[in-house]
Coordinates of all heavy atoms in Angstrom, one line a residue:
M25 N -20.1 -35.1 -5.9 CA -20.0 -33.9 -6.7 C -18.9 -34.0 -7.7 O -17.8 -34.4 -7.3 CB -19.8 -32.7 -5.8 CG -19.6 -31.4 -6.5 SD -19.3 -30.0 -5.4 CE -17.8 -29.4 -6.1
E26 N -19.2 -33.7 -8.9 CA -18.1 -33.7 -9.9 C -17.4 -32.3 -9.9 O -18.1 -31.3 -10.0 CB -18.7 -34.0 -11.3 CG -17.6 -34.2 -12.3 CD -18.2 -34.6 -13.7 OE1 -19.2 -35.4 -13.6 OE2 -17.7 -34.2 -14.7
I27 N -16.1 -32.3 -9.8 CA -15.3 -31.1 -9.8 C -15.0 -30.6 -11.2 O -14.5 -31.4 -12.0 CB -14.0 -31.3 -9.0 CG1 -14.4 -31.7 -7.5 CG2 -13.2 -30.1 -9.0 CD1 -13.2 -32.1 -6.7
P28 N -15.4 -29.4 -11.6 CA -15.1 -28.9 -12.9 C -13.6 -28.9 -13.2 O -12.7 -28.7 -12.3 CB -15.6 -27.4 -12.8 CG -16.6 -27.4 -11.8 CD -16.1 -28.4 -10.7
K29 N -13.2 -29.2 -14.4 CA -11.8 -29.4 -14.8 C -11.0 -28.1 -14.6 O -9.8 -28.2 -14.4 CB -11.7 -29.8 -16.3 CG -12.3 -31.2 -16.5 CD -12.1 -31.6 -18.0 CE -12.8 -32.9 -18.2 NZ -12.2 -34.1 -17.8
H30 N -11.6 -26.9 -14.7 CA -10.8 -25.7 -14.5 C -10.5 -25.3 -13.1 O -9.7 -24.4 -12.8 CB -11.5 -24.5 -15.3 CG -12.8 -24.1 -14.6 ND1 -14.0 -24.8 -14.9 CD2 -13.1 -23.1 -13.7 CE1 -14.9 -24.2 -14.2 NE2 -14.4 -23.2 -13.5
W31 N -11.1 -26.0 -12.1 CA -10.8 -25.7 -10.7 C -9.4 -26.2 -10.4 O -9.0 -27.3 -10.8 CB -11.8 -26.4 -9.8 CG -13.2 -25.8 -9.8 CD1 -13.7 -24.9 -10.6 CD2 -14.2 -26.1 -8.8 NE1 -15.0 -24.6 -10.2 CE2 -15.3 -25.3 -9.1 CE3 -14.2 -26.9 -7.7 CZ2 -16.5 -25.3 -8.4 CZ3 -15.4 -27.0 -7.0 CH2 -16.5 -26.2 -7.3
K32 N -8.7 -25.4 -9.6 CA -7.4 -25.8 -9.1 C -7.4 -26.2 -7.6 O -6.6 -26.9 -7.1 CB -6.4 -24.6 -9.2 CG -6.2 -24.2 -10.6 CD -5.1 -25.0 -11.3 CE -4.8 -24.4 -12.6 NZ -3.4 -24.6 -13.0
L33 N -8.4 -25.6 -6.9 CA -8.6 -25.9 -5.4 C -10.0 -26.4 -5.1 O -10.9 -26.1 -5.8 CB -8.4 -24.6 -4.7 CG -7.1 -23.8 -4.8 CD1 -7.2 -22.4 -4.1 CD2 -5.9 -24.6 -4.3
Y34 N -10.0 -27.1 -4.1 CA -11.3 -27.6 -3.5 C -11.4 -27.2 -2.1 O -10.5 -27.5 -1.3 CB -11.5 -29.1 -3.7 CG -12.8 -29.6 -3.2 CD1 -14.0 -29.3 -3.9 CD2 -12.9 -30.3 -2.0 CE1 -15.2 -29.8 -3.4 CE2 -14.1 -30.7 -1.5 CZ -15.3 -30.5 -2.2 OH -16.5 -30.9 -1.7
L35 N -12.4 -26.5 -1.7 CA -12.6 -26.1 -0.3 C -13.6 -27.0 0.3 O -14.8 -26.9 0.2 CB -13.1 -24.6 -0.2 CG -12.0 -23.5 -0.4 CD1 -11.3 -23.6 -1.7 CD2 -12.6 -22.2 -0.2
D36 N -13.1 -28.0 1.0 CA -13.9 -29.0 1.6 C -14.9 -28.4 2.6 O -14.5 -27.6 3.5 CB -13.0 -30.1 2.3 CG -13.7 -31.3 2.7 OD1 -14.6 -31.7 2.0 OD2 -13.4 -31.9 3.8
G37 N -16.1 -28.8 2.5 CA -17.1 -28.4 3.4 C -17.8 -27.1 3.0 O -18.8 -26.7 3.6
M38 N -17.3 -26.4 2.0 CA -17.9 -25.1 1.5 C -19.4 -25.3 1.1 O -20.1 -24.3 1.3 CB -17.1 -24.6 0.4 CG -17.6 -23.2 -0.1 SD -17.6 -21.9 1.2 CE -15.9 -21.5 1.3
T39 N -19.8 -26.4 0.6 CA -21.2 -26.5 0.2 C -22.1 -26.9 1.3 O -23.3 -26.9 1.1 CB -21.3 -27.6 -0.9 OG1 -20.8 -28.8 -0.4 CG2 -20.5 -27.2 -2.1
E40 N -21.6 -27.1 2.5 CA -22.4 -27.5 3.7 C -22.9 -26.2 4.3 O -22.1 -25.3 4.6 CB -21.7 -28.3 4.7 CG -21.3 -29.6 4.0 CD -20.3 -30.4 4.9 OE1 -20.3 -30.2 6.2 OE2 -19.6 -31.2 4.4
R41 N -24.2 -26.1 4.7 CA -24.8 -24.9 5.2 C -24.1 -24.3 6.4 O -23.9 -23.2 6.6 CB -26.3 -25.1 5.5 CG -27.1 -24.8 4.3 CD -28.5 -24.7 4.9 NE -29.1 -23.5 4.4 CZ -30.2 -23.4 3.8 NH1 -30.9 -24.4 3.6 NH2 -30.7 -22.2 3.4
E42 N -23.9 -25.2 7.4 CA -23.5 -24.7 8.7 C -22.0 -24.8 8.9 O -21.4 -24.5 9.9 CB -24.1 -25.6 9.8 CG -25.6 -25.5 9.8 CD -26.1 -24.1 10.1 OE1 -25.6 -23.5 11.0 OE2 -27.1 -23.7 9.5
C43 N -21.2 -25.1 7.8 CA -19.8 -25.3 7.9 C -19.1 -23.9 7.8 O -19.4 -23.1 6.9 CB -19.3 -26.2 6.8 SG -17.6 -26.8 7.1
E44 N -18.2 -23.6 8.8 CA -17.5 -22.3 8.8 C -16.0 -22.5 8.5 O -15.3 -21.5 8.5 CB -17.7 -21.7 10.1 CG -19.2 -21.3 10.4 CD -19.4 -20.5 11.7 OE1 -18.4 -20.3 12.4 OE2 -20.5 -20.2 12.0
S45 N -15.6 -23.7 8.3 CA -14.1 -23.9 8.0 C -14.0 -25.3 7.4 O -14.9 -26.2 7.5 CB -13.3 -23.8 9.2 OG -13.5 -24.8 10.1
G46 N -12.8 -25.5 6.8 CA -12.5 -26.8 6.2 C -11.2 -26.8 5.6 O -10.5 -25.8 5.5
D47 N -10.8 -28.0 5.0 CA -9.5 -28.1 4.3 C -9.5 -27.4 3.0 O -10.5 -27.4 2.3 CB -9.1 -29.6 4.1 CG -8.9 -30.3 5.4 OD1 -8.4 -29.6 6.4 OD2 -9.1 -31.5 5.5
V48 N -8.4 -26.9 2.6 CA -8.1 -26.4 1.2 C -7.3 -27.5 0.5 O -6.1 -27.7 1.0 CB -7.5 -25.0 1.2 CG1 -7.2 -24.6 -0.3 CG2 -8.3 -24.0 1.9
I49 N -7.8 -28.0 -0.5 CA -7.1 -29.1 -1.2 C -6.7 -28.7 -2.6 O -7.5 -28.2 -3.4 CB -8.0 -30.4 -1.3 CG1 -8.5 -30.8 0.1 CG2 -7.3 -31.5 -2.1 CD1 -9.6 -31.8 0.1
Y50 N -5.4 -28.9 -2.9 CA -4.9 -28.6 -4.3 C -5.3 -29.8 -5.1 O -4.7 -30.9 -4.9 CB -3.4 -28.3 -4.3 CG -2.9 -27.8 -5.6 CD1 -3.2 -26.5 -6.0 CD2 -2.1 -28.6 -6.4 CE1 -2.7 -26.1 -7.2 CE2 -1.7 -28.2 -7.7 CZ -2.0 -26.9 -8.1 OH -1.6 -26.4 -9.3
I51 N -6.2 -29.7 -6.1 CA -6.8 -30.8 -6.8 C -5.8 -31.6 -7.5 O -5.9 -32.9 -7.6 CB -7.9 -30.3 -7.7 CG1 -9.1 -29.7 -6.8 CG2 -8.4 -31.4 -8.6 CD1 -10.1 -29.0 -7.6
A52 N -4.8 -31.0 -8.2 CA -3.9 -31.8 -9.1 C -3.2 -33.0 -8.4 O -3.0 -34.0 -9.0 CB -2.8 -30.8 -9.6
D53 N -2.9 -32.8 -7.1 CA -2.2 -33.9 -6.4 C -2.9 -34.3 -5.1 O -2.4 -35.2 -4.4 CB -0.7 -33.5 -6.1 CG -0.6 -32.2 -5.2 OD1 -1.6 -31.8 -4.7 OD2 0.6 -31.8 -5.1
G54 N -4.0 -33.6 -4.8 CA -4.8 -34.0 -3.6 C -4.2 -33.6 -2.3 O -4.6 -33.9 -1.2
E55 N -3.2 -32.7 -2.3 CA -2.5 -32.2 -1.1 C -3.4 -31.2 -0.4 O -3.9 -30.3 -1.0 CB -1.2 -31.5 -1.5 CG -0.4 -31.0 -0.3 CD 0.8 -30.2 -0.7 OE1 1.1 -30.0 -1.9 OE2 1.5 -29.7 0.3
I56 N -3.5 -31.4 0.9 CA -4.2 -30.4 1.8 C -3.1 -29.4 2.1 O -2.1 -29.6 2.7 CB -4.7 -31.1 3.1 CG1 -5.8 -32.1 2.7 CG2 -5.3 -30.0 4.0 CD1 -6.2 -32.9 3.9
I57 N -3.4 -28.1 1.6 CA -2.4 -27.1 1.8 C -2.7 -26.1 2.9 O -1.9 -25.2 3.2 CB -2.2 -26.3 0.4 CG1 -3.5 -25.6 0.0 CG2 -1.7 -27.2 -0.6 CD1 -3.3 -24.7 -1.3
G58 N -3.9 -26.2 3.5 CA -4.3 -25.3 4.6 C -5.7 -25.5 4.9 O -6.4 -26.4 4.5
T59 N -6.3 -24.4 5.5 CA -7.7 -24.4 5.9 C -8.3 -23.1 5.5 O -7.6 -22.1 5.4 CB -7.9 -24.6 7.4 OG1 -7.2 -23.6 8.1 CG2 -7.5 -26.0 7.8
W60 N -9.6 -23.1 5.2 CA -10.4 -21.9 4.9 C -11.3 -21.7 6.1 O -11.6 -22.6 6.8 CB -11.2 -22.0 3.6 CG -12.2 -23.1 3.7 CD1 -12.1 -24.4 3.3 CD2 -13.6 -22.9 4.1 NE1 -13.3 -25.1 3.5 CE2 -14.2 -24.2 4.0 CE3 -14.3 -21.9 4.6 CZ2 -15.5 -24.4 4.4 CZ3 -15.6 -22.1 5.0 CH2 -16.2 -23.4 4.8
H61 N -11.7 -20.4 6.3 CA -12.5 -20.1 7.4 C -13.5 -19.0 6.9 O -13.1 -18.1 6.1 CB -11.8 -19.5 8.6 CG -10.6 -20.4 9.0 ND1 -10.8 -21.3 10.0 CD2 -9.3 -20.4 8.7 CE1 -9.6 -21.9 10.2 NE2 -8.7 -21.4 9.4
V62 N -14.7 -19.0 7.5 CA -15.6 -17.8 7.3 C -15.6 -17.0 8.6 O -15.7 -17.6 9.7 CB -17.0 -18.3 7.0 CG1 -18.0 -17.1 6.9 CG2 -17.1 -19.1 5.7
I63 N -15.4 -15.7 8.5 CA -15.2 -14.9 9.6 C -16.4 -13.9 9.6 O -16.6 -13.2 8.6 CB -13.9 -14.2 9.6 CG1 -12.8 -15.2 9.7 CG2 -13.8 -13.2 10.8 CD1 -11.4 -14.7 9.5
D64 N -17.1 -13.8 10.7 CA -18.3 -12.9 10.8 C -19.3 -13.1 9.7 O -20.0 -12.1 9.4 CB -17.8 -11.5 10.9 CG -17.0 -11.2 12.2 OD1 -17.2 -11.9 13.2 OD2 -16.1 -10.3 12.1
D65 N -19.4 -14.3 9.2 CA -20.4 -14.5 8.1 C -20.2 -13.6 6.8 O -21.1 -13.5 6.0 CB -21.8 -14.4 8.5 CG -22.2 -15.5 9.5 OD1 -21.7 -16.6 9.4 OD2 -23.0 -15.2 10.5
V66 N -19.0 -13.0 6.7 CA -18.8 -12.0 5.7 C -17.5 -12.3 4.9 O -17.4 -12.2 3.7 CB -18.8 -10.6 6.2 CG1 -18.5 -9.6 5.1 CG2 -20.1 -10.3 6.9
F67 N -16.4 -12.6 5.7 CA -15.1 -12.7 5.1 C -14.6 -14.1 5.0 O -15.0 -14.9 5.8 CB -14.1 -11.8 5.9 CG -14.4 -10.4 6.0 CD1 -15.1 -9.8 7.0 CD2 -14.0 -9.6 4.9 CE1 -15.4 -8.5 7.1 CE2 -14.4 -8.2 4.9 CZ -15.0 -7.7 6.0
Y68 N -13.7 -14.3 4.0 CA -13.1 -15.6 3.9 C -11.6 -15.5 4.1 O -11.0 -14.5 3.7 CB -13.3 -16.1 2.4 CG -14.7 -16.3 2.1 CD1 -15.4 -15.3 1.4 CD2 -15.4 -17.5 2.4 CE1 -16.8 -15.4 1.0 CE2 -16.8 -17.6 2.1 CZ -17.4 -16.6 1.4 OH -18.8 -16.7 1.1
A69 N -11.1 -16.5 4.8 CA -9.7 -16.4 5.2 C -9.0 -17.8 4.9 O -9.7 -18.8 4.9 CB -9.5 -16.1 6.7
F70 N -7.7 -17.7 4.6 CA -6.9 -18.9 4.3 C -5.7 -18.9 5.3 O -5.0 -17.9 5.4 CB -6.4 -18.9 2.9 CG -5.4 -20.0 2.7 CD1 -5.7 -21.3 2.6 CD2 -4.0 -19.7 2.5 CE1 -4.8 -22.3 2.4 CE2 -3.1 -20.7 2.3 CZ -3.5 -22.0 2.2
T71 N -5.5 -20.1 5.9 CA -4.4 -20.3 6.8 C -3.6 -21.5 6.3 O -4.2 -22.6 6.2 CB -4.8 -20.5 8.3 OG1 -5.7 -19.5 8.7 CG2 -3.6 -20.7 9.2
P72 N -2.3 -21.3 5.9 CA -1.5 -22.5 5.4 C -1.3 -23.5 6.6 O -1.3 -23.1 7.7 CB -0.2 -21.8 5.0 CG -0.4 -20.4 4.9 CD -1.6 -20.1 5.9
N73 N -1.1 -24.7 6.2 CA -0.7 -25.8 7.1 C 0.5 -25.3 8.0 O 1.4 -24.7 7.5 CB -0.3 -27.1 6.4 CG -1.5 -27.8 5.9 OD1 -2.7 -27.6 6.4 ND2 -1.3 -28.7 4.9
G74 N 0.4 -25.6 9.3 CA 1.5 -25.3 10.2 C 1.6 -23.8 10.6 O 2.4 -23.5 11.4
E75 N 0.6 -23.0 10.2 CA 0.6 -21.6 10.6 C -0.6 -21.3 11.5 O -1.6 -22.1 11.5 CB 0.5 -20.7 9.4 CG 1.7 -20.8 8.4 CD 3.0 -20.4 9.0 OE1 3.0 -19.5 9.9 OE2 4.0 -21.0 8.7
T76 N -0.5 -20.3 12.3 CA -1.6 -19.9 13.2 C -2.3 -18.6 12.7 O -3.4 -18.4 13.1 CB -1.2 -19.7 14.6 OG1 -0.1 -18.7 14.6 CG2 -0.6 -21.0 15.2
E77 N -1.7 -17.9 11.8 CA -2.2 -16.6 11.3 C -2.7 -16.8 9.9 O -2.2 -17.5 9.1 CB -1.2 -15.5 11.3 CG -0.6 -15.2 12.7 CD -1.6 -14.4 13.6 OE1 -2.4 -13.6 13.0 OE2 -1.6 -14.7 14.8
H78 N -3.8 -16.1 9.6 CA -4.3 -16.1 8.2 C -3.3 -15.5 7.3 O -2.7 -14.5 7.6 CB -5.6 -15.3 8.1 CG -6.7 -15.8 9.0 ND1 -7.1 -17.1 9.1 CD2 -7.5 -15.1 9.9 CE1 -8.1 -17.2 9.9 NE2 -8.3 -16.0 10.5
L79 N -3.1 -16.1 6.1 CA -2.2 -15.5 5.1 C -3.0 -14.6 4.2 O -2.5 -13.5 3.8 CB -1.6 -16.7 4.3 CG -0.6 -16.2 3.2 CD1 0.6 -15.5 3.8 CD2 -0.1 -17.5 2.4
F80 N -4.3 -15.0 3.9 CA -5.1 -14.2 3.0 C -6.5 -14.0 3.7 O -7.0 -14.9 4.4 CB -5.3 -14.8 1.7 CG -4.0 -15.0 0.9 CD1 -3.6 -16.3 0.6 CD2 -3.3 -14.0 0.5 CE1 -2.4 -16.5 0.0 CE2 -2.1 -14.1 -0.2 CZ -1.7 -15.4 -0.5
F81 N -7.1 -12.9 3.5 CA -8.4 -12.5 4.1 C -9.1 -11.7 3.0 O -8.6 -10.6 2.7 CB -8.0 -11.7 5.3 CG -9.2 -11.3 6.2 CD1 -9.8 -12.1 7.0 CD2 -9.8 -10.0 6.1 CE1 -10.9 -11.8 7.8 CE2 -10.8 -9.6 6.9 CZ -11.4 -10.5 7.7
E82 N -10.3 -12.1 2.6 CA -11.0 -11.5 1.5 C -12.5 -11.5 1.7 O -13.0 -12.4 2.3 CB -10.7 -12.2 0.1 CG -9.3 -12.0 -0.4 CD -9.0 -10.6 -0.8 OE1 -9.9 -9.9 -1.2 OE2 -7.8 -10.3 -0.8
A83 N -13.1 -10.5 1.1 CA -14.6 -10.4 1.2 C -15.2 -11.3 0.1 O -16.3 -11.7 0.2 CB -15.1 -9.0 1.0
F84 N -14.4 -11.6 -0.9 CA -14.9 -12.4 -2.1 C -14.2 -13.7 -2.2 O -13.0 -13.7 -2.2 CB -14.8 -11.6 -3.4 CG -15.6 -10.3 -3.4 CD1 -14.9 -9.1 -3.2 CD2 -16.9 -10.3 -3.6 CE1 -15.6 -7.9 -3.1 CE2 -17.7 -9.1 -3.5 CZ -17.0 -7.9 -3.3
L85 N -15.0 -14.8 -2.2 CA -14.4 -16.1 -2.2 C -13.5 -16.3 -3.5 O -12.4 -16.9 -3.4 CB -15.5 -17.2 -2.2 CG -15.0 -18.6 -2.2 CD1 -14.2 -18.9 -0.9 CD2 -16.2 -19.5 -2.2
G86 N -13.9 -15.8 -4.6 CA -13.1 -16.0 -5.8 C -11.7 -15.3 -5.7 O -10.7 -15.9 -6.1
L87 N -11.6 -14.2 -5.1 CA -10.3 -13.5 -4.9 C -9.5 -14.3 -3.9 O -8.3 -14.4 -4.1 CB -10.5 -12.1 -4.3 CG -11.1 -11.1 -5.3 CD1 -11.3 -9.7 -4.6 CD2 -10.2 -10.9 -6.5
L88 N -10.1 -14.9 -2.9 CA -9.3 -15.7 -1.9 C -8.7 -16.9 -2.7 O -7.5 -17.2 -2.6 CB -10.2 -16.2 -0.8 CG -9.5 -17.1 0.2 CD1 -8.6 -16.2 1.1 CD2 -10.4 -17.9 1.0
C89 N -9.6 -17.6 -3.5 CA -9.1 -18.7 -4.2 C -8.0 -18.4 -5.2 O -7.0 -19.2 -5.3 CB -10.2 -19.4 -5.0 SG -11.4 -20.2 -3.8
E90 N -8.1 -17.3 -5.9 CA -7.0 -16.8 -6.8 C -5.7 -16.6 -6.0 O -4.6 -17.1 -6.5 CB -7.4 -15.6 -7.5 CG -8.4 -15.8 -8.6 CD -8.7 -14.4 -9.3 OE1 -8.0 -13.5 -9.2 OE2 -9.8 -14.4 -9.9
K91 N -5.8 -15.9 -4.9 CA -4.5 -15.7 -4.1 C -3.9 -17.0 -3.6 O -2.7 -17.1 -3.6 CB -4.9 -14.7 -3.0 CG -5.1 -13.3 -3.4 CD -5.3 -12.4 -2.2 CE -5.4 -10.9 -2.7 NZ -5.6 -10.0 -1.6
V92 N -4.8 -17.9 -3.1 CA -4.3 -19.1 -2.6 C -3.6 -20.0 -3.7 O -2.5 -20.5 -3.5 CB -5.4 -19.9 -1.9 CG1 -4.9 -21.3 -1.5 CG2 -5.9 -19.2 -0.6
R93 N -4.3 -20.0 -4.8 CA -3.8 -20.8 -6.0 C -2.4 -20.2 -6.4 O -1.4 -20.9 -6.5 CB -4.7 -20.7 -7.2 CG -4.2 -21.4 -8.4 CD -4.9 -20.9 -9.7 NE -4.5 -19.5 -9.9 CZ -5.4 -18.6 -10.5 NH1 -6.5 -19.0 -10.9 NH2 -5.0 -17.4 -10.6
D94 N -2.3 -18.9 -6.6 CA -1.1 -18.3 -7.0 C 0.0 -18.5 -5.9 O 1.2 -18.8 -6.3 CB -1.2 -16.8 -7.2 CG -2.1 -16.5 -8.5 OD1 -2.4 -17.4 -9.3 OD2 -2.5 -15.3 -8.6
W95 N -0.3 -18.3 -4.7 CA 0.7 -18.6 -3.6 C 1.2 -20.0 -3.6 O 2.4 -20.2 -3.6 CB 0.0 -18.3 -2.2 CG 0.8 -18.8 -1.1 CD1 1.8 -18.1 -0.5 CD2 0.5 -20.0 -0.4 NE1 2.3 -18.9 0.6 CE2 1.5 -20.0 0.7 CE3 -0.4 -21.0 -0.5 CZ2 1.5 -21.1 1.6 CZ3 -0.3 -22.1 0.4 CH2 0.6 -22.1 1.4
H96 N 0.3 -20.9 -3.7 CA 0.7 -22.4 -3.7 C 1.5 -22.7 -5.0 O 2.6 -23.4 -4.9 CB -0.5 -23.3 -3.6 CG -0.1 -24.7 -3.7 ND1 0.5 -25.3 -2.6 CD2 -0.3 -25.7 -4.6 CE1 0.7 -26.6 -3.0 NE2 0.3 -26.8 -4.2
E97 N 1.1 -22.3 -6.1 CA 1.8 -22.6 -7.4 C 3.2 -21.9 -7.4 O 4.1 -22.5 -7.9 CB 0.9 -22.3 -8.6 CG -0.2 -23.2 -8.7 CD -1.1 -23.0 -9.9 OE1 -1.0 -22.0 -10.6 OE2 -2.0 -23.8 -10.1
E98 N 3.3 -20.7 -6.9 CA 4.6 -20.0 -6.9 C 5.5 -20.8 -5.9 O 6.7 -21.0 -6.2 CB 4.4 -18.6 -6.4 CG 5.7 -17.8 -6.4 CD 5.5 -16.4 -6.0 OE1 4.4 -15.8 -6.2 OE2 6.5 -15.8 -5.5
R99 N 5.0 -21.1 -4.8 CA 5.8 -21.8 -3.7 C 6.3 -23.2 -4.2 O 7.4 -23.6 -3.9 CB 4.9 -22.0 -2.5 CG 5.6 -22.5 -1.3 CD 4.7 -22.8 -0.2 NE 4.1 -24.1 -0.4 CZ 3.2 -24.7 0.3 NH1 2.7 -24.1 1.3 NH2 2.8 -25.9 0.0
E100 N 5.5 -23.9 -5.0 CA 5.8 -25.2 -5.6 C 6.5 -25.1 -6.9 O 6.8 -26.2 -7.5 CB 4.6 -26.1 -5.6 CG 3.9 -26.3 -4.3 CD 4.8 -27.2 -3.4 OE1 5.3 -28.2 -3.8 OE2 4.9 -26.8 -2.2
G101 N 6.7 -23.9 -7.5 CA 7.3 -23.8 -8.8 C 6.4 -24.3 -9.9 O 6.9 -24.7 -11.0
L102 N 5.1 -24.1 -9.7 CA 4.1 -24.6 -10.7 C 3.5 -23.6 -11.6 O 2.7 -23.9 -12.5 CB 3.0 -25.3 -10.0 CG 3.3 -26.5 -9.1 CD1 2.1 -27.0 -8.3 CD2 3.9 -27.7 -9.9
L103 N 3.8 -22.3 -11.3 CA 3.3 -21.2 -12.1 C 3.7 -21.3 -13.6 O 4.8 -21.5 -13.9 CB 3.7 -19.8 -11.5 CG 2.9 -19.3 -10.4 CD1 3.4 -17.9 -10.0 CD2 1.4 -19.1 -10.7
E104 N 2.7 -21.1 -14.4 CA 3.0 -21.1 -15.9 C 3.4 -19.7 -16.2 O 2.8 -18.7 -15.7 CB 1.7 -21.5 -16.6 CG 1.3 -22.9 -16.4 CD 0.0 -23.2 -17.1 OE1 -0.4 -22.4 -18.1 OE2 -0.7 -24.2 -16.8
V105 N 4.4 -19.6 -17.1 CA 4.9 -18.2 -17.5 C 4.0 -17.8 -18.7 O 4.0 -18.6 -19.7 CB 6.4 -18.3 -17.8 CG1 6.8 -16.9 -18.3 CG2 7.2 -18.7 -16.6
H106 N 3.4 -16.6 -18.6 CA 2.6 -16.1 -19.8 C 3.4 -14.9 -20.3 O 3.8 -14.1 -19.6 CB 1.3 -15.7 -19.3 CG 0.5 -16.8 -18.7 ND1 -0.1 -17.8 -19.5 CD2 0.2 -17.2 -17.4 CE1 -0.7 -18.7 -18.7 NE2 -0.5 -18.3 -17.5
D107 N 3.4 -14.8 -21.7 CA 4.0 -13.7 -22.3 C 3.1 -12.5 -22.4 O 2.0 -12.6 -22.5 CB 4.5 -14.0 -23.8 CG 5.7 -15.0 -23.7 OD1 6.4 -15.0 -22.7 OD2 5.8 -15.8 -24.7

């Protein structure tokens, strides 16, 4: 699969039918920053590496990805400043 240039994260296993969790990879450097999970076939959750509790929990995958991206980029000092 070719990853679109505008993507910042890759959720490994998301395209597999029976997969309910997988790694969250920050594409720019290939770092695995945590795991994603499907809960009750409805909600998406993100758990950072080294943690046992979900940091983010969303009904919409896009919102989860935005929150994870912002969290990671802020933590790493990668956020772009917009006027």
